[in-house]
Amino acid sequence: MSITASRQLFSRLLSANSKKCMKCLANVRFKSDQTDKKDNDLKVSGKLEHAVLKKFSEPLQIESVDPPKRLQSTEVLIDVNYCALNGLDVLLIENLYTHEQSLPFVPGYEVSGKLIEVSEGATKAGYNVGDKVIALNKNRFGGLAEQCVAEIDDVWKIPTSIKSIDAVCLLENYMTALIGLEQYGSISEEDMVLVNVGIGGIGLAAVDIAANIFRAKVVIGVGFSEDRADKIRDRGAFHAFTYKEKKLIQEIEEIAGERGIEKIFEGDSGEHFKKVLNSFMNVYKSKPPSKNLLRDDNFCVVVQHLSREGRILIAGVADTNPNKNDKDWFTVTGISLKECRERKLELYRTTGDDVISFFEEGLIKPVPSLVAGFYKVNDAVKFVSEMKASGKVVIDMKNKDAEVKFN
């Protein structure tokens, strides 16, 4: 082929590809322009968008609605940057929780953002427009919206140095784990801590707190799958393994033996320990695994005394409704942040403060499993429902068209 012919061929190819590229860029720009136009239309009309459930187990619908009405005396209005999608949200969407949620329903109760309106009572409590905040809105929900109303008892101010996407991963999991380990287990450096992590979430937070806040002597994590075991190690556990019923006792005996704790499962105390373990490990025995693993009130803590060798804290996801016909049944009670708020408001508030301080000091490291734009919310619901999430699933309320991003 002559040089002239080659140049002509290259020119034609370049021209064709350029047209394709320009068409692709035009499509991307057209899509972006459509989103910008929609956002501008909403601003002009004074409308906001939210994701609402109209019928159980059906996709959430994106709707335009009027802004929240006048605030009550102890309320604030949050401009939502991020909303976490938790297991409780999905159980309510699928009508699998202990009570049936009234419809229509806007899920989402763990949000981060800025205050854009504050009531008189909120001002007296020290809240101001522009404050950067996180909220745990379990009495109201409504977080999957551009703006949401919250009670000041459920709102914490955060330093500007904390990113909103990190902040939205803090409260639910770390508050529950901290209350369990500190209030129910009185955890100390001398303790051996066994955490049944389950699929992640609160269990991973418990490992993080036990290993990096209280620096417990030994932290062991049991996970739902091998990838969860890797995440348990990342949080600082000394040992992490996937649940296998026949090997569990042996693995615990070996770890205890390495630290001079012998005959851990012998005698009456050993039999009691086996029953306690059974109540935690029962969550793995249904096939496929039960969606009870997504619940928000099945994190438990039990103290097992080991005579002269000290004690073990058994914490994590447990079967809180055992079969009492089982000769090895053992009752454990789950920790509910909603009940804590109602009965021990001061503890609820100070625990939130502590968790924020731990993160600011770099002692804990929550990591989201998935981040998705608001318009991908139903993909996120499916991800949680299929129990693929080990960390938080976060919805980006500002970058609405953002693709699903896995961590």
Side-chain angles (χ1 to χ4, degrees), residues 262-322:
E262 303 293 341
K263 302 178 181 179
I264 196 171
F265 289 110
E266 293 188 9
D268 292 341
S269 176
E271 289 303 314
H272 179 267
F273 190 10
K274 288 178 183 178
K275 288 182 179 181
V276 171
L277 281 177
N278 190 55
S279 69
F280 281 84
M281 302 306 158
N282 270 345
V283 296
Y284 298 116
K285 292 181 180 177
S286 62
K287 302 294 181 184
S290 169
K291 286 193 177 180
N292 280 333
L293 285 166
L294 296 174
R295 290 178 64 93
D296 65 326
D297 59 356
N298 60 359
F299 181 84
C300 308
V301 177
V302 176
V303 179
Q304 172 70 26
H305 291 278
L306 302 174
S307 185
R308 291 186 297 273
E309 287 87 3
R311 61 188 201 145
I312 295 180
L313 297 189
I314 304 96
V317 181
D319 181 3
T320 56
N321 188 27

Side-chain angles (χ1 to χ4, degrees), residues 128-161:
N128 298 288
V129 170
D131 284 344
K132 194 172 181 179
V133 297
I134 47 178
L136 197 59
N137 218 13
K138 296 189 85 166
N139 284 335
R140 291 174 173 269
F141 288 84
L144 283 174
E146 292 182 280
Q147 296 177 6
C148 77
V149 176
E151 289 275 347
I152 57 174
D153 285 341
D154 298 313
V155 178
W156 285 260
K157 291 193 287 186
I158 58 172
T160 55
S161 59

Side-chain angles (χ1 to χ4, degrees), residues 84-248:
L85 187 70
N86 290 298
L88 172 58
D89 294 307
V90 172
L91 292 175
L92 290 171
I93 289 169
E94 297 179 353
N95 198 21
L96 295 176
Y97 201 56
T98 50
H99 68 267
E100 183 173 310
Q101 177 65 44
S102 59
L103 301 178
F105 167 60
V106 178
Y109 56 87
E110 195 170 12
V111 301
S112 64
K114 285 189 176 181
L115 298 185
I116 53 175
E117 187 178 341
V118 296
S119 64
E120 183 180 348
T123 301
K124 290 179 179 177
Y127 293 93
N128 298 288
V129 170
D131 284 344
K132 194 172 181 179
V133 297
I134 47 178
L136 197 59
N137 218 13
K138 296 189 85 166
N139 284 335
R140 291 174 173 269
F141 288 84
L144 283 174
E146 292 182 280
Q147 296 177 6
C148 77
V149 176
E151 289 275 347
I152 57 174
D153 285 341
D154 298 313
V155 178
W156 285 260
K157 291 193 287 186
I158 58 172
T160 55
S161 59
I162 297 180
K163 295 179 181 178
S164 290
I165 193 169
D166 293 326
V168 80
C169 300
L170 285 173
L171 292 181
E172 169 92 329
N173 292 345
Y174 281 86
M175 285 177 65
T176 304
L178 182 58
I179 288 171
L181 293 172
E182 193 170 39
Q183 300 296 317
Y184 289 74
S186 300
I187 186 172
S188 75
E189 287 185 354
E190 297 303 311
D191 287 328
M192 182 174 175
V193 183
L194 173 65
V195 182
N196 185 32
V197 170
I199 59 175
I202 300 171
L204 281 178
V207 172
D208 206 356
I209 289 170
N212 300 308
I213 302 298
F214 293 100
R215 308 223 175 245
K217 181 169 59 176
V218 183
V219 180
I220 307 164
V222 182
F224 175 70
S225 58
E226 189 53 44
D227 65 309
R228 262 72 172 193
D230 290 338
K231 294 181 187 301
I232 293 168
R233 294 183 194 98
D234 289 344
R235 293 302 191 283
F238 292 86
H239 301 273
F241 45 84
T242 304
Y243 171 73
K244 294 182 178 66
E245 184 178 3
K246 293 181 180 179
K247 290 187 176 181
L248 180 65

